[in-house]
Amino acid sequence: MDNDKIIEENQDLEDEDSLPPIGDKTALVTIIGRPSAGKSTFLNTAAGEQVSIVSAIPQTTRNAIRGIVNTSDGQLVFVDTPGYHDSEKKMNLRMRNIVADQLENSDLILYIIDSTRTCAEEERLITALLEKHQGKIVIAINKTDEKNSMKDATRKFIFAQLKDVPKERVIEISAKNDVGIDDVLDALFALAPVAPHLYSEDYYTDQEVDFRIAEVIREQAINRLDKEIPHCVYVKIADMEMRTPTKMWCRAFLCVETESQKGIVIGKGASMIKTIRVESIKALRKIFDYKIDLDLQVKVEKGWRQKDNVLDRILR
């Protein structure tokens, strides 16, 4: 055998060694749906960890948040996106752009639809956005175990709007009660390409420490505030310092738009801000393997939802 032939065969072996094992699949999956459809709940249930914050208040998710699911079939990297809805407000338009960008860059799409709500104009906005992506969509009809579920009407809407999505890729689930989640994962893996993993198998999210701390604080705040206040709050991490190998000190600000909102967030005798701080510390202990000493304050940043420099910082 000549030397050129030996070199070619050795190169072939090297190329084969660089490929992932047969059946080892990987996909970047964008999750899309209306506000409160159950996107974050699905992601947390599938990942088995608190990846994305959850609240009964619509539009809790503001960023594209990654959660990683590893199984014997491979790795699915989910991107939880802000709830997609019709609004001309600057911040909401920014969040809609986040969704559109993620759809273009993803391998697959998981469309989660709330079967307890009538499929109306906002749902049609989503299906219009998804029309050109039907070859890579799996649809999860959520909350089908609830008494007011309209799953048959929801199915009818789906098949009228997205005619090219096969019936086997439309799956009934309860994200809250972990029903049908494995079926959704199986359907996604069936479409996923064979490719190297994007993350180590011990990862369940790629969020930076400051972002995770800020999101936990925001979750504890919005779940204790009512009316418009939760939408007027964002969290700024001012300082972080590891003071010992097992303890971090962090100063954070809950930022609101008006003095009256500041008073509500602080509460009578500082009762509200104290509760938010204590509950945030408890939640952070479940995430990090070191203690976090949290210095939490409230400050006013008037009209922050209209300021590009703030939106650039908090919307990722």
Side-chain angles (χ1 to χ4, degrees), residues 237-252:
I237 304 297
D239 297 288
M240 293 192 309
E241 180 185 343
M242 289 299 298
R243 294 192 166 171
T244 73
T246 59
K247 191 172 186 178
M248 171 187 279
W249 172 81
C250 175
R251 176 184 289 127

Side-chain angles (χ1 to χ4, degrees), residues 24-27 107-108 188-189 191-195:
D24 193 11
K25 296 186 171 186
T26 302
D107 299 307
L108 303 174
L188 290 167
F189 274 121
L191 296 172
V194 174

Side-chain angles (χ1 to χ4, degrees), residues 220-232:
Q220 296 303 320
I222 65 179
N223 283 329
R224 288 169 174 79
L225 301 167
D226 59 9
K227 298 181 180 179
E228 180 61 17
I229 302 296
H231 299 294
C232 302

Side-chain angles (χ1 to χ4, degrees), residues 157-170:
F157 170 83
I158 290 168
F159 293 130
Q161 299 295 314
L162 298 170
K163 297 181 174 66
D164 294 335
V165 176
K167 291 182 179 179
E168 61 268 22
R169 284 200 255 133
V170 180

Side-chain angles (χ1 to χ4, degrees), residues 177-280:
N177 294 316
D178 197 2
V179 175
I181 304 300
D182 287 343
D183 294 332
V184 171
L185 298 180
D186 288 344
L188 290 167
F189 274 121
L191 296 172
V194 174
H197 289 180
L198 299 175
Y199 295 93
S200 169
E201 290 188 5
D202 58 354
Y203 274 55
Y204 66 87
T205 186
D206 66 350
Q207 297 170 34
E208 298 291 340
V209 171
D210 60 341
F211 179 79
R212 297 213 76 188
I213 293 173
E215 285 289 271
V216 166
I217 296 169
R218 188 165 68 90
E219 179 180 39
Q220 296 303 320
I222 65 179
N223 283 329
R224 288 169 174 79
L225 301 167
D226 59 9
K227 298 181 180 179
E228 180 61 17
I229 302 296
H231 299 294
C232 302
V233 171
Y234 86 91
V235 179
K236 178 189 291 184
I237 304 297
D239 297 288
M240 293 192 309
E241 180 185 343
M242 289 299 298
R243 294 192 166 171
T244 73
T246 59
K247 191 172 186 178
M248 171 187 279
W249 172 81
C250 175
R251 176 184 289 127
F253 291 95
L254 272 167
C255 301
V256 295
E257 292 187 308
T258 67
E259 289 293 337
S260 62
Q261 292 167 357
K262 179 179 178 179
I264 292 170
V265 175
I266 292 174
K268 187 176 180 179
S271 59
M272 179 61 76
I273 191 64
K274 286 179 181 177
T275 299
I276 293 169
R277 175 182 174 275
V278 169
E279 295 304 316
S280 295

Side-chain angles (χ1 to χ4, degrees), residues 108-150:
L108 303 174
I109 297 167
L110 174 60
Y111 173 26
I112 297 182
I113 184 167
D114 181 353
S115 66
T116 66
R117 290 187 288 177
T118 301
C119 297
E121 189 57 34
E122 283 195 337
E123 214 70 69
R124 291 189 183 90
L125 282 175
I126 296 175
T127 55
L129 195 65
L130 295 177
E131 192 171 2
K132 65 179 180 179
H133 300 293
Q134 293 184 66
K136 61 179 186 178
I137 296 175
V138 171
I139 300 174
I141 303 176
N142 195 22
K143 306 181 186 180
T144 55
D145 55 343
E146 297 190 15
K147 290 182 179 180
N148 58 339
S149 172
M150 299 175 283

